[in-house]
Amino acid sequence: MWYVIEGHDGEGVLDRRAAARPAHLARLVALRDAGHLLLAGPCPAIDAEDPGPAGFSGSLVVAQFDSLEQARAWADADPYVEAGVYERVDVRPFRKVLP
């Protein structure tokens, strides 16, 4: 089943986000290469492709896992969680309809 994983950035975490980004992206690439990633990306904190020092409000991942528990475990192991980038992570089932 598909799951939405939404990480919500804390305040003033842009430097921590940048430092943890390579490890965060490596996990996403592995998920993609296994055929389990639908989409992933950050949410700029302002209406701009590159938010600069405004940073990001969080990130969104839609990926396939065998269970909600497995999706939560994957999300809990994210380098952004370990680095203190995310102040909260929501994981919920998702039903893909289009495209």
Side-chain angles (χ1 to χ4, degrees):
M1 178 159 191
W2 293 104
Y3 294 90
V4 171
I5 300 169
E6 187 173 11
H8 302 270
D9 283 22
E11 292 292 322
V13 297
L14 194 54
D15 289 341
R16 283 183 264 170
R17 178 183 262 275
R21 188 169 189 263
H24 171 78
L25 289 178
R27 293 181 80 236
L28 291 169
V29 167
L31 203 58
R32 180 202 64 197
D33 291 351
H36 297 289
L37 182 66
L38 182 63
L39 65 89
C43 300
I46 60 173
D47 189 13
E49 183 73 22
D50 179 358
F56 300 89
S57 62
S59 301
L60 183 75
V61 174
V62 180
Q64 203 169 37
F65 295 94
D66 291 334
S67 67
L68 181 58
E69 293 76 23
Q70 188 183 52
R72 283 186 177 138
W74 188 89
D76 288 344
D78 193 293
Y80 283 172
V81 171
E82 183 179 322
V85 174
Y86 294 153
E87 66 180 9
R88 185 177 95 239
V89 178
D90 298 323
V91 181
R92 56 192 181 277
F94 177 77
R95 193 175 74 158
K96 183 178 181 283
V97 175
L98 292 172

